[in-house]
Structure formats: C-alpha cells, structure tokens
Amino acid sequence: MDKKGILIVVSGFSGSGKGTIMKELLSRYPDTYALSISATTRSPREGEVDGREYFFVSKDEFEKMIAKGELIEYAKYVENYYGTPRDYVEKKLDEGRDVILEIEIQGALNVKKMFPDTLLLFVTPPSADELKKRLVGRGTETMDVIRSRMERACEEADGMENYDYLIINDDLDRCVKEMHSIIQGEHRRSSRNCGFMKEIKEDLERMKH
C-alpha cells in the first residue's frame, strides 16, 4: 500500500511550548516526520544555514514565488516575508513523510483551503494562568511584552475551534506521544484510504465468483 504523508499544521499560543514539542517529536521519530522549512527575505542570523533553518531569498525572488503560486501560504512580518514553499512540502509528502508546518492561525486556515486534507493541531497550556506563568518564568520579557502576548493569546483563542485536535501541553513526554498517536491514527481515516477500500472491494467481488 502506497503510504503518502499527511500535511500537519501546528499552531498554538506563544509560550505553549509548541517549539519544544516539535523538536522532541522530530528527534524521536526522525524517519516519520519532516519539519517544513520556510522561505524568508530576512538576513540569516549567526549560525543559520540556508536550507536548514530557512531558505533565504531576496525580496524580488520571494515576490516572483508569490506570483508563480509556488508558496502554500505566506505572510509579512515587520518588513520581511515568510512563506512555505510548495515543492519542498510536496516532495516530502511523496516520500511518505508527514510534514509539519508550525504557523499562525491565519496561515493555517489558508493551508487548509489549499490542501483540504490538512490536519490542524492547536497546542495550549492547561490554563490561562499557566500560560502567564510560563511567559513570566522565561525571565526574558518585560511586563509590557508579556501583556501584549496575553492580548495576542486572546485573539489567537478565537480561532481554536477551527482546529481538528487540541493538544494540552502539561507534560512533554505525554504530549509528544499523544501528538504522534493522533497523527498516526489519522492515516487510518477512511477518507484517506479510498484507494485501499476500492481495491479490497474489487478483490472481494472477484472472490465471490
């Protein structure tokens, strides 16, 4: 049976720990998952390698990619473009890898429009109180930044019901196992197995005679 990968979008509140979950998922199951690499027009930071953290492109190249429909989704943050190149994602899916995009809600819904089979996962801490504690606990943010992050979380919460599954991150190990089993269970969804069902029905019909 030809196993094609599933496209997965993971979003979540800033401070929900989704980055940590992704790293852990990829290190435990390196042959199962591929993290999508975004294209960006921002300059590489120290230690970043083209094609590893990002595909670094010029503004001109990026705008050509938009025009040619080569991006699954894109957005502009503070003068720089970020987007998901379609060919990288499709190549990995064809190899049988499940491809994870870690993007904002707006981008997630755009991806779902283009690829209706996309699985949408939303990562949240167990409570709003816990979210605030984690943001304060980082010790790197000023109270103003924390306040604006909490306001942002209120906006992000509005889109939660558009997601297929909520992943509540209270324990990293349990969370990673849960995410893995949700994704693998998704491979068995009947709508993803039309070819297999058609084949088995035809074989059964043949055997009747």
Side-chain angles (χ1 to χ4, degrees), residues 63-200:
E63 286 170 350
K64 277 190 188 126
M65 288 169 89
I66 296 172
K68 288 185 188 158
E70 289 172 4
L71 297 164
I72 292 174
E73 57 79 41
Y74 69 93
K76 199 173 188 181
Y77 297 108
V78 207
E79 293 314 295
N80 282 308
Y81 284 117
Y82 293 84
T84 304
R86 182 196 283 262
D87 60 348
Y88 177 82
V89 168
E90 289 184 338
K91 186 167 148 277
K92 293 289 174 199
L93 290 172
D94 288 340
E95 285 170 10
R97 293 280 196 93
D98 293 331
V99 178
I100 300 173
L101 307 187
E102 199 188 310
I103 49 177
E104 309 286 319
I105 285 186
Q106 218 35 60
L109 301 181
N110 291 341
V111 173
K112 185 87 175 175
K113 268 190 211 122
M114 205 182 280
F115 293 89
D117 273 354
T118 303
L119 177 65
L120 300 182
L121 307 178
F122 193 89
V123 179
T124 171
S127 67
D129 199 42
E130 178 61 25
L131 179 66
K132 188 167 187 185
K133 256 196 221 124
R134 286 182 196 178
L135 289 173
V136 173
R138 281 179 174 178
T140 51
E141 320 290 9
T142 63
M143 280 322 281
D144 277 351
V145 169
I146 289 164
R147 200 171 300 117
S148 75
R149 287 250 169 101
M150 292 302 283
E151 278 167 19
R152 177 88 191 272
C154 289
E155 289 163 24
E156 289 170 335
D158 275 346
M160 277 198 285
E161 62 279 2
N162 296 306
Y163 284 71
D164 299 304
Y165 292 91
L166 276 183
I167 308 277
I168 295 169
N169 183 16
D170 51 358
D171 174 90
L172 181 65
D173 181 55
R174 190 165 63 228
C175 202
V176 170
K177 283 178 180 157
E178 184 179 294
M179 194 178 271
H180 179 64
S181 67
I182 285 171
I183 296 166
Q184 295 319 304
E186 196 63 22
H187 278 279
R188 297 285 160 263
R189 191 184 280 268
S190 56
S191 61
R192 293 186 192 274
N193 289 280
C194 297
F196 175 79
M197 294 189 294
K198 183 170 172 281
E199 225 169 87
I200 209 161

Side-chain angles (χ1 to χ4, degrees), residues 32-69:
T32 307
Y33 301 109
L35 196 57
S36 164
I37 299 170
S38 299
T40 183
T41 54
R42 79 157 169 77
S43 309
R45 293 193 184 125
E46 204 178 321
E48 288 181 333
V49 177
D50 181 56
R52 189 180 68 191
E53 281 81 12
Y54 286 97
F55 297 113
F56 295 100
V57 297
S58 69
K59 188 164 181 268
D60 194 41
E61 282 174 294
F62 199 101
E63 286 170 350
K64 277 190 188 126
M65 288 169 89
I66 296 172
K68 288 185 188 158

